[in-house]
């Protein structure tokens, strides 16, 4: 795999992952009560804890996108 192709793959992967993150945020914002009711069938979670868990996971996902997609993408594209 040449460097140009890898740069394109990382770019498209970044776009896909950020789109997924935005969709997750939108669904969580617009349908939070439905998601909470769906998950509390199996787990007893307080609403504050449920919000904190999702907020933490979104932050971790965003950090992982930056570390594994955007960081290498910018580094590789700067070299090319």
């Amino acid at each position: 795999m040449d460097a140009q192709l890898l740069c394109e793959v990382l770019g498209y992967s970044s776009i896909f992952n950020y789109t997924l993150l935005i969709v997750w945020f939108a669904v969580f914002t617009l349908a939070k009560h439905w998601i909470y009711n769906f998950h509390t069938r199996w787990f007893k979670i307080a609403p504050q804890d449920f919000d904190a868990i999702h907020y933490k996971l979104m932050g971790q996902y965003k950090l992982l996108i930056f570390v594994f997609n955007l960081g290498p993408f910018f580094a590789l594209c700067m070299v090319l």
Side-chain angles (χ1 to χ4, degrees), residues 44-55:
K44 296 193 184 304
I45 303 172
Q48 298 84 8
D49 294 336
F50 186 73
D51 292 344
I53 289 168
H54 274 275
Y55 186 72

Side-chain angles (χ1 to χ4, degrees), residues 21-62:
L21 183 65
I22 290 168
V23 168
W24 180 8
F25 176 76
V27 169
F28 181 72
T29 303
L30 298 173
K32 182 169 69 170
H33 296 295
W34 181 81
I35 296 171
Y36 177 73
N37 290 334
F38 182 75
H39 285 284
T40 53
R41 291 178 191 171
W42 301 295
F43 308 105
K44 296 193 184 304
I45 303 172
Q48 298 84 8
D49 294 336
F50 186 73
D51 292 344
I53 289 168
H54 274 275
Y55 186 72
K56 180 181 175 184
L57 287 175
M58 284 183 208
Q60 288 175 347
Y61 188 64
K62 184 170 49 172

